[in-house]
Amino acid sequence: FGFFGTAVLVGLYVYVLFYPPPLSPTNQPENIELAGILAKSLEVALLVGIAFIIRWDKQEFRRLMIKINTVG
């Protein structure tokens, strides 16, 4: 699913907490549950971790390319 898919799922979860889901038989927002909050908190933490790793990897790649170009 990746970064954007996970971000969409977190956004949809927040949406259904405040507004009724489309085609909902009860036409009411979902109840807030501890398991849902913990799961989405973990997903947000993973999104932050993925963003950090992407940025770190890009910087390391640049350093490696600069090192290769100066040696070669």
Side-chain angles (χ1 to χ4, degrees), residues 4-53:
F4 293 110
T6 304
V8 167
L9 287 178
V10 170
L12 285 173
Y13 177 74
V14 172
Y15 176 82
V16 299
L17 290 179
F18 294 109
Y19 303 103
L23 306 175
S24 172
T26 62
N27 201 24
Q28 292 185 0
E30 297 290 322
N31 295 327
I32 297 175
E33 298 178 1
L34 181 61
I37 298 296
L38 291 175
K40 295 308 167 188
S41 298
L42 178 62
E43 287 185 27
V44 169
L46 290 173
L47 283 174
V48 171
I50 290 169
F52 174 77
I53 290 172

Side-chain angles (χ1 to χ4, degrees), residues 63-72:
R63 286 185 193 140
L64 179 64
M65 293 308 292
I66 290 171
K67 188 175 182 180
I68 289 172
N69 285 336
T70 57
V71 172

